Amino acid sequence: MVGVSPDKPAAQAKFKQKYDLPFTLLADEEKAAAEAYGVWKEKTMYGRKSMGIERTTFVIGPDGKIEKIYGKVKAKGHAAAVLAEL
């Protein structure tokens, strides 16, 4: 399991430590992975539009193919739900 975000490695290290995450976080500062996976999107918050990551979970099989996509993920309870389903 890995997490990918456009945050700088230093910010990711703080986040990982704060939440005691048991997996690797990868920095995608250039947003190449986000664009390749189609999760760098226009978002609207309080009427303002901006570009950002649409939180998404991809289950990737041993053959490297995407087996399932969970879009517009809400963090609370999501990991447990995915693990239970797997």
Side-chain angles (χ1 to χ4, degrees), residues 11-30:
Q12 288 181 332
K14 283 183 178 180
F15 185 81
K16 182 175 179 167
Q17 184 176 16
K18 179 178 180 179
Y19 293 102
D20 193 28
L21 300 178
F23 52 86
T24 301
L25 295 176
L26 301 175
D28 181 30
E29 293 181 79
E30 301 299 319

Side-chain angles (χ1 to χ4, degrees), residues 3-74:
V4 182
S5 81
D7 298 325
K8 295 180 185 288
Q12 288 181 332
K14 283 183 178 180
F15 185 81
K16 182 175 179 167
Q17 184 176 16
K18 179 178 180 179
Y19 293 102
D20 193 28
L21 300 178
F23 52 86
T24 301
L25 295 176
L26 301 175
D28 181 30
E29 293 181 79
E30 301 299 319
K31 299 161 193 81
E35 289 178 3
Y37 278 86
V39 297
W40 183 249
K41 300 187 173 198
E42 184 175 75
K43 299 167 79 172
T44 303
M45 183 182 284
Y46 305 115
R48 291 183 51 197
K49 293 185 180 196
S50 64
M51 295 299 290
I53 297 289
E54 181 179 277
R55 189 176 287 162
T56 307
T57 298
F58 295 88
V59 177
I60 301 174
D63 60 359
K65 292 184 180 177
I66 296 172
E67 294 184 359
K68 185 154 187 171
I69 300 172
Y70 299 85
K72 298 183 180 180
V73 170
K74 302 292 183 206

